[in-house]
Amino acid sequence: MFGKAHSRSFIVGAALVLGLFAGSLAYATIPDSSGMIHGCYKLNQGTLRVIDTGKGEGCLNSEAAISWTQTGLQGPQGPTGPTGAKGDKGDRGDPGQPGAGTPIGAVIAYAGSVAPSGWLVAEGSVGRPVRP
């Protein structure tokens, strides 16, 4: 019976240790809330180590603090690309609304006797109806 209790205690202890380890990984704040990654550069060796400022970590006196973002800054806009190939002809549009037309009795004046093809040209005095 002592052996089973000992095994059970070991399993509970191992689960507790794994839970704490997993919790510490989930708590890491790299990058920080603004997307910044912080690190320390060892001046005399050229080595870099990433730190978690959310946990109070900092650089040593022999290190220079540096930080950067994952995405970086946006670069300048590139040059305009070449014109693309001509596209396919589009579908026919919906018909437009009918126009107001010419009101009945209106006089349309043309210089001389020139009128659009298919129009009837009548002569008469303004203000007096033209009778056929």
Side-chain angles (χ1 to χ4, degrees):
M1 181 137 185
F2 179 73
K4 288 184 182 182
H6 183 64
S7 295
R8 204 173 300 161
S9 296
F10 178 76
I11 292 172
V12 169
L16 183 62
V17 169
L18 286 174
L20 289 173
F21 178 72
S24 68
L25 289 179
Y27 182 72
T29 53
I30 302 172
D32 66 13
S33 60
S34 67
M36 205 61 108
I37 299 171
H38 302 277
C40 299
Y41 177 73
K42 193 148 186 110
L43 301 172
N44 61 355
Q45 294 178 349
T47 58
L48 172 69
R49 66 183 178 96
V50 177
I51 60 172
D52 188 349
T53 56
K55 290 184 175 181
E57 295 176 0
C59 296
L60 303 173
N61 291 337
S62 61
E63 297 173 322
I66 61 172
S67 56
W68 65 95
T69 61
Q70 285 182 302
T71 56
L73 301 174
Q74 182 175 350
Q77 183 173 345
T80 303
T83 303
K86 184 176 168 121
D88 296 333
K89 184 175 179 179
D91 296 334
R92 184 180 180 132
D94 295 331
Q97 297 294 322
T102 304
I104 297 176
V107 176
I108 301 174
Y110 289 97
S113 60
V114 178
S117 176
W119 283 46
L120 174 64
V121 178
E123 294 182 17
S125 300
V126 175
R128 198 196 250 175
V130 177
R131 305 225 186 262

